[in-house]
Amino acid sequence: MAVAAPRRSSRQKRTATTVYDDAKQEMKRLSESPKKRKNISSSPSRRSQPTADSDNDDSDDDDGDHEDEESSSSLSDEEEFVKEKKKPAPKTTKTPTKRTASTTNKRNVAKKKKSPKVLLRQLANKVLEQEETPETSLMAALLQHAIASKPSNDATFDFESFIRDSILPRDDAYEVQADLIHLLFRAVGGVHSPPYLDAAKLEDYNHDDWDKVTNQLVDDMRYTPIPFFLLSNYDWEQQHQQSMDMHQAFRQAWEAFWYQLVEVTLSSNDRFAMEMVKDWNVRLHELLEVSQPDIRAAAVMASMQMALSLLKLSCDTKAKLARYERQVKSCSSSQKKKKQLLLDEQVQPTKRWLEELETLVDTNFTAVFMNRYRDSNPVIRAYNLSVLTQMMVQRPDLYLRDKYLKYIGWTLSDKNAQVRCAAIDGLLAPYSDMDALQNVVRKFLPRLADCTIDVSTKVQEKSMSLFLKLAKASLLEDFDDDLLWEQINNRALAADTTAVVRRDALYFIMDQLEAFDDQEEEEQKPTKNSTWKRDKKASLVKTKEIGIAKKLSALASWVAHSLTNGPIPLEHLRLELTDYVIESLRSMGPEYSSLVTNQWSAFVRAIKDSDSAAQMESDEQRVQVATQRVLIRMLASAARAEFSDKKKSSDSYVMTLLPLMTNLLRQFQTDSNCLTNLASLCQYFISSDCAHHPKLKAPMRDMVQALVDIYGTIGDDKSMPVIIESLAVLMDSSQNTSTILSMCKSHISQLTKSLSQRLTESLQTSDKTDEPKKKKRKKRRSSTSTDEDKPSSDGNDEKESVIQRCLQRLSILAKRVNIQEFLPEDFRTTLIEGMTKRLEERQLDQKDTAENNGDDPMENIIPLIWQQDHDSKVHEACSRSVKYTLDFLLVSLAWDLYLAKKEEDPNAYDNDSDNDDNDAKADDDLEEYASHTVVQQRDELVEFLGTCFQQFLSQQDGDGDADGHGIYSSDQVHFSDTVQLAALQTCGDLRSLLPKIWSEARSPLLRAVALIQDQILIGGSIRFFRSKTSVLRNIEDQEEEDVSTVHTLLLPFGRSLLANWSLSNRREAGYVFTHFVGSGQAAQQLLQELSKMCKKMDPVRLMETHMASLRTSFDQWLLNEPEEIESEHPTDEEMAAFEQAEEAHQEEFELLLQQSKNLAQTLKPPKKALEAKLQDPMLAFLKEGIRFAFSLDSTDDEEDLLPGARLTFLLLLEYFGKLCKQQSTSVLREYWTEKVLALQQDADYDQAHQDDLEAMKQFAKIMGFPMVTTENVGQSPKSVLVRDYDDDEDNDDESSTPRRSSASRLSSEGGRRSSVARSSVSTALSPLLEEGGDDDDEETTPAKNRRSSVSMDTLEEEEEDEKTARSSTSADE
């Protein structure tokens, strides 16, 4: 038995001598002892990840050791491949060559694809120990012969000479067995010396002895890094691709060695050799029960390769036996009796040899497969199945039976995708007799069908290939299960799979359709009618067109049946799934791809042949309507796939579809889906040369007229933008002649004038009918008004609907086409006045509230228009009109700005003149541009946005929930949300369109239009955004997140912040970043990407934003503290409610900690230190956090907090403090001590919370700051000790988060905060001031003059300015 002590010392020696010398030391070592071997690198644990140095295998010697001279001199007789390993690279002078893209690509390809010879040589350099040579190590000899026999990417290795010279000549069979087992141990990470087995005692090894050996091996494997394993089941990452390639090359050599070992050993048909092979198998079988998976995998691979080799010998022997038997039969005559006797003497030994081989194969296979096909390791399970597949292919007479096929069926339900793929591969193998699969297919067909919807797309692809093979072999004809076939067929329309699965599923479908079965007959036997006699060629073309039309109709009919399966309205059909059919057809061979390539006449014929059903009275007619829609969608998808990447469309496309397009558009103008797809086809007409043909001028004019007429009558948001896009493409002067351009402009001009005139008349008519009356309002809690006070709603619905439709069409048209020249001059003014009047009619009147002198703070006046019985359609139409108005005004401003900038002369301003002259000239230019149309539009739009935000409904006005339900009518709440949401999105676009940075531009136009005074917009946006906080928080609890809501509320802020980041409002960004946690994964991912982009632009600004976000969230958490129970004897219900409120409050603080952690992670990459340029700003950040934590001022300016009430805020700074180096945080010690002493000297210090002081203690311990002991809380401040932590104390020790008590942190003199002060939003639309106090001055400061880093006192000064700003704001309100 092996001794443990020497082995451990050897391992310790290897670990201790693991160094990576620099190039100079390495070259010096090689020059002194050129044949010296190197040690492998070791790590304390096998599970440690590979280092970067361990995977850098391009150089032959990247690490080395300094061993004693004796060990180096003992290796002086190494073979040539060892010399090649250690031979330093010759110094050659390379001529510098010019690097081009082609040479770079070639080098990259060369690096990725290395020959196995190079990979195995690198692996030998890395793994072999110092004393391992071909003479002393079987592994070194194996690698040497593998390198020598693998000069290129061949499929086989040649180990015959190695086996005959190194293994078979030995007399001691136990020595051979021990060497082979040691070879296996070395391949899985064992050491070379001393050996694990004693060959002399191998015969006497019992079960306990084998356990000791394997335990010792497993113990050694723990010290071997994963890259130094020759055989491993490690899941290599992408950065270790080279190591994975090396180990794959060795795995091929490993399998070839064991395969050829049996083949060479039994080549002489020697009985002794047979016994030797049996003994080898027995030794390998003893390792199959080892708990370590790498050892089992190596043993399974070796044993299975030996079984495959035996099976190959049995095949050869069987073929030889058949040849002998044929020769015996041919020697029936008496003259050949002597030859027959000789053959009989050969037949019998051959039969016995064949029986022995088959018996040994069966024994080996039973011992390995039957025990390991259910192995805990998926790699071993998959490998067993792959070997079983090979055996069934080689000897189908023995293994292609239900006895073994059932194992493949059982493993189809394996939990690992790799095993399931191996099972399906077992059925996909090229068997000579496919009928043998009949039973297994019948039994496991439901499971095979479920594999097409497997979670692994690779399993889906293999299963679909299997079904195609089974269908081709006619093994599925006897099965009649509609649900099963429907499940497989629907994969052709599945969006959650790959294109390969959809393509194969479509193959499977077409094999079932009759239209594709008659293909050959229709092509060979065209119909001979009168047309055939007149024009044979035309008849053939027509016959082919009819055949293609039938196939398209058959496919469309199947898609329609699939889409209409169930009570699905025709308007809600998912026609976009039809695009997958076109994609799959185009990816097939020419036989099927030609069906959707330039077959426009066949599409038209198929559409005409499909009968349209006007009234859906039966399911058949319903399917016919769906079929027609699918055909039109297929036509649009085929055209898009054909011409989207091309500059020109085909002439056949234009000549076929353009004359028919007008009739098709008018025929399907009431069908939104068909109209959208047909309108998209018009975009490709103009890119063809034949589009300008005189004969096509009339069809082109009719088509444009039809598009304009249809656009003026429909009201569908889906098809209208597509129609305008087609008209805009036709208007593009770079692609069209002046005739087509003037034609399109004329029609669009008429359309614009008609819409604007109708809209103006509707607005003016509505204003005249509303007589000027005194606004009648009601108190919130008064009785209902009489019927005489109710306004009449007759005609209001129709008027508002007309206004909405006109604005909708104008806004969509203006987004793609510049229609400013077609509008009246006073149109914008009329529009804004009319819509402002509608908003003011629905706006709360809060002026009377101040006249109540506080007698009834709940009183507020609601307009009479918001009566409960008022028609809700009027308000819905009005809210949509406001949205379209905002879109139109924004797009109009963008068009005018584009034209003004285009007309501006860039040479009109000189950048090299004197600065004083530039400033004076800039002031004159700004005054000149003050009356510019873009500036006027900007101011009008900002004012109108402010009116929209005045629709805000606050909970402060009365009882109800956060959304105002229970106070206002549902129509009023919906109107308010719709209008403000549209205003929020427009604010984000407007601030992105006119960024503040333009105030520093050279262009006077850009300086004039820059949106600097945006405080009112920010205030209104944030007020509405904070009112929807509960909506975002509820997304966290949803099973499927409402991503659209998250994007609708957060993306406007993200766009505006990125456009104005250097001059952004930190408090605005802080409010947005409070949703980093607690609002779902979509919000977190969006804000993470926003943080990355903001950090690239200005990381210091991002740091300031994080402070604003944390302070905002923490103050809100303080305001939400549960109220203490006033009763001295609370009931059980009151105690339960209080405890529940405390738990909810604690959960909120846990979210704050997570928010702080996520915000800190945005400032540095994972596993990397904070950038050096951010160290000083981070210290300023921490100082501001410490100042805020020790501050006592309240946010509502009514009362102050108790001493230390904000100390818990220090826990939020822990993650940021860990980003700084311990030496750098020492500069904050003096400031910390000053704040601690000031806290101790406070008169109310004895009322400080124990939890707050514990938070201060924990933060001080982490940062290494002076701390305050909490045992003496309540005594005189002088009795509290102040001491320092040692700098080298463990700062990573984090105590549990202290639980907050129910006692209030507010001063007892002021009592609890009022409910009004605790509200998260305010009713007044006041500007959101920046954290610098005077927001106007800060925002107009040029970005280039702003500080590049934060000083230690900056944030503290800004906090004082913020207090002054809050006081002035409260006084103004």
Side-chain angles (χ1 to χ4, degrees):
M1 293 297 294
V3 183
R7 185 186 311 282
R8 190 57 49 216
S9 62
S10 175
R11 174 62 67 182
Q12 292 173 354
K13 182 178 180 181
R14 289 174 58 198
T15 305
T17 57
T18 300
V19 294
Y20 286 87
D21 300 327
D22 55 15
K24 183 176 180 180
Q25 293 175 339
E26 181 68 13
M27 294 300 296
K28 180 179 179 181
R29 184 183 68 83
L30 292 175
S31 61
E32 294 176 353
S33 55
K35 298 180 181 180
K36 184 178 178 182
R37 303 299 305 276
K38 64 185 178 69
N39 278 342
I40 66 170
S41 174
S42 303
S43 66
S45 175
R46 174 181 179 262
R47 294 173 177 81
S48 60
Q49 294 295 328
T51 60
D53 293 333
S54 63
D55 286 335
N56 187 11
D57 301 308
D58 294 337
S59 61
D60 289 341
D61 294 301
D62 54 355
D63 59 331
D65 309 313
H66 294 283
E67 300 287 348
D68 49 12
E69 297 180 358
E70 296 179 1
S71 61
S72 61
S73 60
S74 62
L75 303 176
S76 58
D77 297 330
E78 276 189 347
E79 295 190 359
E80 183 62 27
F81 97 107
V82 178
K83 296 180 181 179
E84 185 178 358
K85 284 176 50 182
K86 308 311 296 180
K87 186 177 181 179
K91 296 182 179 180
T92 58
T93 304
K94 296 183 178 181
T95 305
T97 57
K98 182 178 180 181
R99 176 174 294 184
T100 60
S102 59
T103 57
T104 305
N105 294 335
K106 291 180 180 178
R107 292 175 182 177
N108 293 336
V109 172
K111 285 185 177 180
K112 292 181 180 179
K113 296 182 179 180
K114 291 186 177 181
S115 64
K117 178 179 179 180
V118 176
L119 294 173
L120 290 176
R121 180 183 293 111
Q122 293 177 355
L123 189 64
N125 293 340
K126 176 193 293 186
V127 175
L128 293 182
E129 298 183 20
Q130 181 180 3
E131 61 272 14
E132 285 187 277
T133 62
E135 292 78 10
T136 61
S137 172
L138 197 61
M139 178 60 70
L142 176 67
L143 290 175
Q144 175 191 4
H145 284 81
I147 294 173
S149 64
K150 189 66 176 180
S152 61
N153 293 325
D154 296 333
T156 59
F157 291 86
D158 185 10
F159 293 106
E160 182 177 357
S161 59
F162 165 63
I163 295 172
R164 294 187 184 278
D165 298 340
S166 302
I167 297 178
L168 296 183
R170 302 186 187 183
D171 297 333
D172 191 352
Y174 294 107
E175 181 182 355
V176 175
Q177 296 175 22
D179 287 346
L180 291 177
I181 297 300
H182 189 268
L183 176 68
L184 187 147
F185 289 169
R186 186 67 184 87
V188 295
V191 298
H192 167 66
S193 178
Y196 292 91
L197 300 174
D198 188 355
K201 301 179 181 180
L202 185 61
E203 184 180 6
D204 300 330
Y205 272 29
N206 54 26
H207 186 73
D208 295 336
D209 295 333
W210 280 107
D211 287 343
K212 293 179 181 179
V213 171
T214 54
N215 290 337
Q216 186 64 58
L217 172 62
V218 173
D219 187 35
D220 289 341
M221 291 170 64
R222 294 192 180 99
Y223 292 87
T224 304
I226 290 177
F228 293 88
F229 277 62
L230 291 167
L231 289 176
S232 174
N233 293 324
Y234 176 66
D235 188 10
W236 299 96
E237 300 178 0
Q238 187 175 3
Q239 58 266 29
H240 304 303
Q241 180 67 34
Q242 187 175 4
S243 295
M244 183 176 66
D245 294 340
M246 288 190 298
H247 288 76
Q248 287 179 350
F250 180 78
R251 176 168 298 198
Q252 296 175 5
W254 178 260
E255 293 177 346
F257 167 74
W258 290 97
Y259 187 93
Q260 297 178 24
L261 178 63
V262 174
E263 187 179 26
V264 175
T265 304
L266 299 179
S267 60
S268 60
N269 296 345
D270 189 4
R271 300 293 178 184
F272 176 76
M274 177 66 74
E275 295 298 328
M276 186 184 302
V277 173
K278 291 181 180 179
D279 293 338
W280 294 343
N281 277 310
V282 172
R283 297 304 181 190
L284 291 175
H285 295 167
E286 291 175 350
L287 301 176
L288 297 177
E289 302 299 330
V290 180
S291 59
Q292 216 287 331
D294 289 334
I295 301 177
R296 293 201 312 272
V300 167
M301 291 174 61
S303 183
M304 283 299 193
Q305 289 300 320
M306 293 175 68
L308 289 175
S309 181
L310 290 170
L311 193 67
K312 178 63 169 55
L313 290 175
S314 69
C315 292
D316 298 340
T317 305
K318 183 181 178 182
K320 184 189 296 183
L321 179 61
R323 186 172 66 253
Y324 288 160
E325 291 177 347
R326 288 195 305 269
Q327 291 177 358
V328 169
K329 290 181 181 180
S330 64
C331 298
S332 58
S333 62
S334 59
Q335 299 177 355
K336 299 181 180 180
K337 281 291 184 180
K338 185 177 180 180
K339 182 178 181 181
Q340 183 179 3
L341 293 175
L342 294 175
L343 290 174
D344 288 337
E345 292 178 358
Q346 295 180 356
V347 168
Q348 296 302 325
T350 305
K351 285 184 177 180
R352 289 193 299 269
W353 182 254
L354 178 61
E355 291 176 359
E356 291 184 6
L357 289 175
E358 292 178 350
T359 302
L360 184 57
V361 171
D362 187 67
T363 303
N364 192 7
F365 178 77
T366 304
V368 180
F369 181 84
M370 296 304 175
N371 295 322
R372 294 298 105 200
Y373 85 95
R374 294 181 298 179
D375 195 280
S376 60
N377 190 280
V379 177
I380 298 177
R381 299 199 299 270
Y383 190 81
N384 277 275
L385 291 176
S386 64
V387 172
L388 175 60
T389 302
Q390 297 179 49
M391 297 177 72
M392 288 190 296
V393 172
Q394 291 184 12
R395 290 296 301 272
D397 57 322
L398 295 179
Y399 296 100
L400 190 58
R401 300 177 180 179
D402 295 340
K403 176 183 177 180
Y404 299 103
L405 288 172
K406 65 182 180 181
Y407 295 106
I408 292 180
W410 291 343
T411 52
L412 288 172
S413 302
D414 195 276
K415 62 182 180 180
N416 187 271
Q418 182 181 0
V419 181
R420 297 196 298 273
C421 288
I424 298 176
D425 287 336
L427 299 177
L428 280 171
Y431 300 121
S432 58
D433 184 14
M434 290 296 296
D435 294 336
L437 303 178
Q438 183 72 35
N439 294 332
V440 70
V441 170
R442 179 184 294 107
K443 183 175 182 179
F444 296 101
L445 185 61
R447 177 55 198 153
L448 288 173
D450 291 339
C451 288
T452 59
I453 55 175
D454 196 273
V455 294
S456 172
T457 56
K458 189 175 181 179
V459 176
Q460 295 179 24
E461 293 176 359
K462 289 182 176 295
S463 60
M464 285 306 310
S465 300
L466 176 61
F467 272 103
L468 290 177
K469 182 177 180 180
L470 295 177
K472 186 177 181 179
S474 302
L475 294 180
L476 301 176
E477 295 180 353
D478 298 336
F479 301 98
D480 188 10
D481 190 343
D482 293 340
L483 294 178
L484 187 143
W485 302 137
E486 182 180 354
Q487 174 181 323
I488 300 174
N489 294 340
N490 287 339
R491 301 310 293 166
L493 302 177
D496 58 345
T497 188
T498 62
V500 176
V501 175
R502 289 192 290 265
R503 182 202 62 195
D504 292 345
L506 190 60
Y507 272 127
F508 192 73
I509 293 168
M510 291 187 296
D511 186 64
Q512 306 171 39
L513 298 177
E514 295 181 358
F516 291 87
D517 293 339
D518 301 333
Q519 176 180 359
E520 296 182 359
E521 297 181 2
E522 292 181 359
E523 291 181 355
Q524 295 177 1
K525 298 180 180 180
T527 304
K528 294 186 178 181
N529 48 22
S530 58
T531 308
W532 169 268
K533 297 179 181 180
R534 290 194 303 267
D535 190 352
K536 181 178 180 180
K537 182 177 180 181
S539 180
L540 289 174
V541 172
K542 184 178 180 180
T543 303
K544 183 178 179 181
E545 178 184 312
I546 294 175
I548 295 177
K550 287 183 178 181
K551 295 174 185 177
L552 293 175
S553 298
L555 284 175
S557 178
W558 172 82
V559 174
H561 278 85
S562 300
L563 297 180
T564 57
N565 187 11
I568 304 175
L570 290 176
E571 294 76 13
H572 297 161
L573 294 180
R574 299 182 61 186
L575 294 177
E576 65 275 5
L577 299 179
T578 309
D579 298 343
Y580 291 136
V581 177
I582 302 299
E583 177 186 348
S584 299
L585 288 173
R586 291 178 61 88
S587 63
M588 296 179 181
E591 179 183 359
Y592 297 104
S593 61
S594 60
L595 296 178
V596 292
T597 305
N598 292 326
Q599 298 295 340
W600 317 115
S601 57
F603 272 109
V604 174
R605 178 179 293 275
I607 294 173
K608 290 182 178 180
D609 292 343
S610 59
D611 297 330
S612 61
Q615 298 179 355
M616 294 174 292
E617 298 178 355
S618 63
D619 294 339
E620 184 178 357
Q621 292 176 336
R622 181 169 175 266
V623 172
Q624 289 177 353
V625 174
T627 302
Q628 198 168 36
R629 294 185 177 184
V630 169
L631 281 170
I632 295 176
R633 178 74 183 199
M634 291 175 63
L635 173 60
S637 179
R640 182 169 58 253
E642 186 73 19
F643 306 128
S644 59
D645 298 334
K646 299 180 181 179
K647 296 182 179 180
K648 290 186 178 182
S649 60
S650 62
D651 295 341
S652 61
Y653 173 81
V654 179
M655 299 297 294
T656 303
L657 293 181
L658 183 56
L660 305 174
M661 187 54 61
T662 302
N663 294 332
L664 290 175
L665 289 172
R666 296 192 182 278
Q667 179 182 355
F668 296 101
Q669 64 180 349
T670 58
D671 192 326
S672 174
N673 293 314
C674 294
L675 180 61
T676 302
N677 294 316
L678 289 173
S680 65
L681 295 173
C682 303
Q683 303 177 17
Y684 308 110
F685 286 140
I686 206 64
S687 58
S688 176
D689 296 334
C690 68
H692 311 294
H693 195 277
K695 294 183 179 181
L696 297 178
K697 182 177 181 181
M700 179 69 71
R701 182 182 64 251
D702 295 340
M703 184 191 68
V704 173
Q705 182 65 48
L707 289 173
V708 173
D709 294 343
I710 294 172
Y711 183 81
T713 56
I714 64 174
D716 180 38
D717 288 334
K718 182 179 179 181
S719 56
M720 293 173 67
V722 180
I723 294 177
I724 295 303
E725 178 65 24
S726 298
L727 290 173
V729 172
L730 295 176
M731 285 185 62
D732 191 355
S733 58
S734 62
Q735 297 182 2
N736 290 284
T737 61
S738 57
T739 304
I740 300 178
L741 178 61
S742 60
M743 180 194 310
C744 296
K745 292 187 65 174
S746 175
H747 287 291
I748 291 181
S749 174
Q750 295 177 5
L751 175 63
T752 304
K753 292 178 181 179
S754 174
L755 291 175
S756 60
Q757 182 179 0
R758 188 177 181 185
L759 177 60
T760 303
E761 293 176 355
S762 300
L763 290 173
Q764 293 175 352
T765 303
S766 178
D767 295 340
K768 291 179 180 180
T769 55
D770 296 337
E771 297 180 359
K773 298 179 181 180
K774 182 179 180 180
K775 290 184 179 180
K776 296 183 180 182
R777 304 179 182 272
K778 64 175 182 177
K779 292 187 177 181
R780 190 172 297 260
R781 297 186 177 179
S782 62
S783 58
T784 57
S785 58
T786 61
D787 295 340
E788 297 178 356
D789 297 332
K790 299 177 183 179
S792 175
S793 61
D794 296 341
N796 288 339
D797 188 7
E798 183 179 356
K799 295 176 184 177
E800 292 297 335
S801 298
V802 171
I803 295 174
Q804 173 200 338
R805 289 194 295 269
C806 292
L807 284 171
Q808 178 187 16
R809 297 185 180 103
L810 282 175
S811 63
I812 295 176
L813 180 60
K815 288 179 181 179
R816 192 61 180 85
V817 183
N818 184 13
I819 59 174
Q820 305 302 312
E821 57 180 325
F822 309 137
L823 294 172
E825 295 181 359
D826 58 343
F827 174 76
R828 189 180 296 104
T829 303
T830 304
L831 175 61
I832 294 177
E833 290 178 353
M835 300 312 300
T836 302
K837 182 177 181 298
R838 281 160 174 75
L839 289 174
E840 292 176 348
E841 288 177 351
R842 293 164 171 80
Q843 175 181 322
L844 293 178
D845 188 0
Q846 301 179 2
K847 296 181 180 180
D848 297 335
T849 306
E851 299 176 359
N852 295 326
N853 296 323
D855 295 337
D856 187 6
M858 305 295 256
E859 184 179 12
N860 202 343
I861 306 302
I862 298 180
L864 191 62
I865 197 173
W866 291 118
Q867 296 185 54
Q868 294 293 338
D869 56 350
H870 203 283
D871 192 357
S872 60
K873 294 182 180 180
V874 177
H875 303 306
E876 177 68 21
C878 185
S879 63
R880 290 177 178 270
S881 299
V882 173
K883 178 182 180 302
Y884 294 135
T885 301
L886 290 172
D887 293 343
F888 175 77
L889 294 177
L890 179 66
V891 174
S892 299
L893 187 151
W895 276 114
D896 288 344
L897 176 62
Y898 168 74
L899 296 177
K901 181 61 180 174
K902 190 175 182 180
E903 296 174 358
E904 187 181 24
D905 185 8
N907 299 323
Y909 33 86
D910 186 8
N911 193 34
D912 298 331
S913 58
D914 187 72
N915 292 334
D916 296 336
D917 296 339
N918 283 339
D919 294 339
K921 184 177 180 181
D923 295 338
D924 297 339
D925 293 337
L926 290 178
E927 294 179 358
E928 178 183 353
Y929 279 93
S931 59
H932 196 276
T933 177
V934 179
V935 177
Q936 293 179 357
Q937 292 185 51
R938 180 201 65 186
D939 296 339
E940 291 174 353
L941 181 55
V942 170
E943 183 179 359
F944 186 69
L945 286 170
T947 306
C948 294
F949 283 123
Q950 290 293 350
Q951 300 297 319
F952 180 76
L953 304 177
S954 175
Q955 186 185 357
Q956 299 179 13
D957 298 325
D959 299 331
D961 57 14
D963 293 332
H965 297 293
I967 308 172
Y968 313 101
S969 65
S970 58
D971 293 339
Q972 187 176 3
V973 173
H974 179 69
F975 179 85
S976 173
D977 291 345
T978 304
V979 170
Q980 291 185 91
L981 186 59
L984 172 65
Q985 296 174 347
T986 305
C987 281
D989 295 334
L990 180 63
R991 295 171 62 195
S992 302
L993 180 63
L994 308 176
K996 296 179 181 180
I997 198 65
W998 279 5
S999 60
E1000 309 167 19
R1002 295 174 56 204
S1003 170
L1005 173 63
L1006 298 183
R1007 292 201 304 270
V1009 302
L1011 184 58
I1012 301 176
Q1013 305 297 333
D1014 59 351
Q1015 296 84 3
I1016 297 297
L1017 300 183
I1018 298 176
S1021 301
I1022 289 296
R1023 184 178 63 178
F1024 173 71
F1025 177 74
R1026 296 181 67 186
S1027 68
K1028 296 301 175 184
T1029 299
S1030 60
V1031 177
L1032 289 174
R1033 297 302 185 192
N1034 293 334
I1035 294 178
E1036 184 79 13
D1037 301 329
Q1038 297 177 358
E1039 295 182 0
E1040 185 176 356
E1041 292 187 5
D1042 188 2
V1043 181
S1044 61
T1045 301
V1046 175
H1047 290 174
T1048 301
L1049 293 175
L1050 291 179
L1051 282 179
F1053 290 102
R1055 291 194 297 268
S1056 59
L1057 287 174
L1058 285 177
N1060 303 276
W1061 182 243
S1062 60
L1063 300 173
S1064 63
N1065 190 301
R1066 293 187 293 270
R1067 292 179 62 193
E1068 174 195 12
Y1071 283 126
V1072 175
F1073 279 105
T1074 57
H1075 293 276
F1076 219 117
V1077 293
S1079 298
Q1081 292 294 328
Q1084 183 176 357
Q1085 293 175 2
L1086 190 149
L1087 294 177
Q1088 283 177 349
E1089 296 300 325
L1090 177 62
S1091 300
K1092 292 179 183 179
M1093 291 183 282
C1094 292
K1095 182 186 176 183
K1096 292 180 180 179
M1097 292 185 289
D1098 191 348
V1100 177
R1101 193 76 174 180
L1102 180 63
M1103 201 177 298
E1104 298 169 356
T1105 299
H1106 289 348
M1107 176 57 67
S1109 177
L1110 292 176
R1111 286 169 50 176
T1112 300
S1113 301
F1114 184 81
D1115 283 339
Q1116 186 63 35
W1117 176 78
L1118 282 182
L1119 291 174
N1120 294 336
E1121 191 175 11
E1123 296 186 9
E1124 189 176 0
I1125 301 177
E1126 298 179 358
S1127 175
E1128 297 180 357
H1129 304 285
T1131 63
D1132 294 341
E1133 290 78 7
E1134 291 177 341
M1135 290 297 298
F1138 179 73
E1139 291 178 358
Q1140 185 177 2
E1142 272 196 324
E1143 292 179 0
H1145 198 241
Q1146 178 66 14
E1147 292 177 359
E1148 291 182 13
F1149 190 77
E1150 296 294 339
L1151 284 178
L1152 276 180
L1153 292 176
Q1154 185 64 31
Q1155 176 184 343
S1156 174
K1157 180 179 179 180
N1158 292 345
L1159 293 179
Q1161 290 176 349
T1162 61
L1163 297 176
K1164 76 174 189 68
K1167 300 181 181 180
K1168 292 185 180 181
L1170 189 67
E1171 299 178 19
K1173 64 179 180 181
L1174 296 181
Q1175 289 290 341
D1176 291 341
M1178 181 56 71
L1179 294 177
F1181 177 91
L1182 294 174
K1183 183 177 181 181
E1184 167 60 17
I1186 294 171
R1187 186 207 63 76
F1188 176 75
F1190 284 92
S1191 63
L1192 303 179
D1193 56 304
S1194 178
T1195 56
D1196 57 0
D1197 294 328
E1198 294 181 1
E1199 52 184 304
D1200 289 337
L1201 302 172
L1202 289 174
R1206 288 198 179 107
L1207 288 177
T1208 313
F1209 183 79
L1210 295 172
L1211 297 178
L1212 305 182
L1213 303 178
E1214 291 182 6
Y1215 299 103
F1216 295 91
K1218 293 177 181 179
L1219 301 182
C1220 293
K1221 298 179 181 179
Q1222 187 67 27
Q1223 297 80 2
S1224 61
T1225 56
S1226 60
V1227 300
L1228 296 176
R1229 288 174 177 267
E1230 182 178 352
Y1231 184 74
W1232 170 267
T1233 305
E1234 177 185 348
K1235 289 296 182 182
V1236 171
L1237 294 177
L1239 174 66
Q1240 297 172 11
Q1241 296 171 4
D1242 193 285
D1244 296 330
Y1245 177 68
D1246 55 345
Q1247 301 181 23
H1249 258 272
Q1250 182 74 18
D1251 293 340
D1252 295 331
L1253 296 179
E1254 286 291 340
M1256 180 181 66
K1257 177 181 177 181
Q1258 179 177 340
F1259 180 75
K1261 182 178 179 180
I1262 292 176
M1263 301 299 296
F1265 289 163
M1267 60 167 288
V1268 178
T1269 58
T1270 58
E1271 292 81 2
N1272 299 317
V1273 174
Q1275 302 180 9
S1276 173
K1278 296 182 180 180
S1279 63
V1280 180
L1281 301 178
V1282 179
R1283 66 181 179 87
D1284 285 345
Y1285 272 104
D1286 294 334
D1287 291 340
D1288 55 350
E1289 188 172 353
D1290 185 13
N1291 294 330
D1292 294 332
D1293 184 19
E1294 296 184 11
S1295 60
S1296 59
T1297 304
R1299 185 173 181 83
R1300 310 291 171 259
S1301 64
S1302 60
S1304 174
R1305 289 165 171 76
L1306 298 175
S1307 174
S1308 59
E1309 302 168 354
R1312 300 293 297 178
R1313 301 174 188 264
S1314 63
S1315 60
V1316 176
R1318 293 180 62 182
S1319 175
S1320 62
V1321 292
S1322 174
T1323 56
L1325 180 57
S1326 58
L1328 181 67
L1329 296 180
E1330 174 65 293
E1331 288 190 320
D1334 190 358
D1335 193 59
D1336 297 342
D1337 296 340
E1338 178 178 335
E1339 299 303 336
T1340 55
T1341 304
K1344 60 184 179 181
N1345 295 331
R1346 295 179 58 85
R1347 64 185 185 281
S1348 59
S1349 62
V1350 181
S1351 64
M1352 296 295 293
D1353 299 327
T1354 301
L1355 295 175
E1356 183 177 2
E1357 294 173 0
E1358 289 186 358
E1359 182 66 18
E1360 299 297 330
D1361 295 339
E1362 181 183 358
K1363 297 178 185 177
T1364 306
R1366 288 174 178 169
S1367 302
S1368 61
T1369 304
S1370 301
D1372 294 339
E1373 293 177 357

